[in-house]
Amino acid sequence: MKNNILLFVALFVSLSAFAQPKVVAHRGYWDCEGSAQNSIKALEMAAEIGAYGSEFDVNITSDGVLVVNHDATINGICIEDNPYSSIKDIKLKNGETLPTLAQYLETAIRLPGIQLIFEIKGHKLPENEDRCVDASVAMVKNMGLQDRTEWISFSMRVCERLHKLLPDAKVAYLNGTESPLQIKERGLTGVDYNQSIFTSKNPEWLDEARQHGIETNVWTVDKEELLRQFAKDKRIDIITTNKPVLLQQIIKE
């Protein structure tokens, strides 16, 4: 029995030594021909290069339409204060029309190899955050994408509501103000923090995350030197980057 235990430990250590971080394309893989941030094409390209996940951002209009856009405004129009009709014809830099979440998820259904890293944006009004969470969860469920969706937000209100509605889902906090232990106590599963949190402000949180079983994601890492640094750090589970192909090359090395 003792020899079997020692063999298991040795095997676990050996496998851990070869563990590699997962690659998440920030706003999809947009830094290539024909693509644009948060576009349908960016999602398709992230899947094509074999990224683990494609990150994207969602806001809700005043009449309840979920749209994929990073900022609270687009072309000077505040999304949550205006109906979908006021923004529906806006074009992205690659010529695509601003995608609705429904269009984005319909594309995801035919790209089964990629995880959806779903960021719900903070809104001016708490009730709009709640509407955005509730409508997003309902749509993901209706499309059968629960197992492929991982949730993130800068809003703790959003994170806690997501956890309430989806107690078994992966939900990570983005704001960088809570320790891994505090995240665990809230019932969340991950810390998805800016690189500065892990390199200078609270580097000890990486060990704390491991201790408490909290997943670690670092964003948004684009410099090659930092990509190499984080790729070697076995305490990092996920790296979010605008340079997913470069990160994949580094990991293969």
Side-chain angles (χ1 to χ4, degrees), residues 168-228:
D168 296 325
K170 284 188 174 184
V171 181
Y173 186 51
L174 288 165
N175 209 30
T177 56
E178 304 254 335
S179 72
L181 177 57
Q182 290 171 315
I183 292 297
K184 182 177 182 178
E185 289 171 344
R186 290 182 182 273
L188 308 183
T189 62
V191 287
D192 189 347
Y193 289 167
N194 180 273
Q195 54 193 292
S196 64
I197 300 297
F198 296 138
T199 57
S200 57
K201 294 180 181 178
N202 296 106
E204 71 280 2
W205 281 359
L206 287 173
D207 288 328
E208 185 177 317
R210 277 288 173 269
Q211 179 183 351
H212 295 290
I214 295 298
E215 191 171 54
T216 56
N217 187 337
V218 58
W219 60 264
T220 299
V221 189
D222 293 337
K223 292 183 178 178
E224 183 172 347
E225 179 182 354
L226 280 175
L227 286 172
R228 291 186 180 279

Side-chain angles (χ1 to χ4, degrees), residues 6-44:
L6 291 174
L7 180 61
F8 174 80
V9 171
L11 178 61
F12 177 79
V13 171
S14 176
L15 290 174
S16 298
F18 290 99
Q20 299 288 357
K22 299 169 182 174
V23 178
V24 167
H26 184 235
R27 304 179 196 171
Y29 181 31
W30 57 268
D31 191 16
C32 57
E33 185 176 354
S35 193
Q37 295 186 14
N38 275 320
S39 65
I40 298 293
K41 181 67 172 180
L43 171 61
E44 292 172 336

Side-chain angles (χ1 to χ4, degrees), residues 3 41 50 59 76 79 86 96 120 128 134 170 175 207 229:
N3 288 339
K41 181 67 172 180
N59 290 272
I79 295 172
S86 67
E96 283 184 30
I120 293 183
N128 286 339
D134 295 353
K170 284 188 174 184
N175 209 30
D207 288 328
Q229 175 183 327

Side-chain angles (χ1 to χ4, degrees), residues 124-253:
K124 293 187 298 181
L125 299 179
E127 53 265 37
N128 286 339
E129 287 192 354
D130 293 348
R131 288 195 308 126
C132 192
V133 170
D134 295 353
S136 297
V137 168
M139 188 175 293
V140 166
K141 283 185 173 181
N142 288 340
M143 291 191 172
L145 291 168
Q146 303 98 303
D147 292 342
R148 291 179 51 203
T149 303
E150 302 175 21
W151 305 86
I152 57 177
S153 184
F154 280 95
S155 166
M156 184 56 76
R157 179 188 183 92
V158 165
C159 288
E160 292 186 327
R161 192 172 185 88
L162 284 167
H163 176 60
K164 181 179 179 180
L165 294 174
L166 298 168
D168 296 325
K170 284 188 174 184
V171 181
Y173 186 51
L174 288 165
N175 209 30
T177 56
E178 304 254 335
S179 72
L181 177 57
Q182 290 171 315
I183 292 297
K184 182 177 182 178
E185 289 171 344
R186 290 182 182 273
L188 308 183
T189 62
V191 287
D192 189 347
Y193 289 167
N194 180 273
Q195 54 193 292
S196 64
I197 300 297
F198 296 138
T199 57
S200 57
K201 294 180 181 178
N202 296 106
E204 71 280 2
W205 281 359
L206 287 173
D207 288 328
E208 185 177 317
R210 277 288 173 269
Q211 179 183 351
H212 295 290
I214 295 298
E215 191 171 54
T216 56
N217 187 337
V218 58
W219 60 264
T220 299
V221 189
D222 293 337
K223 292 183 178 178
E224 183 172 347
E225 179 182 354
L226 280 175
L227 286 172
R228 291 186 180 279
Q229 175 183 327
F230 285 120
K232 293 177 181 177
D233 194 329
K234 303 307 178 186
R235 299 169 299 174
I236 298 292
D237 298 305
I238 302 170
I239 300 174
T240 299
T241 178
N242 291 311
K243 304 290 184 183
V245 173
L246 173 59
L247 178 55
Q248 288 173 323
Q249 292 171 348
I250 289 171
I251 289 173
K252 287 179 181 177
E253 292 175 8

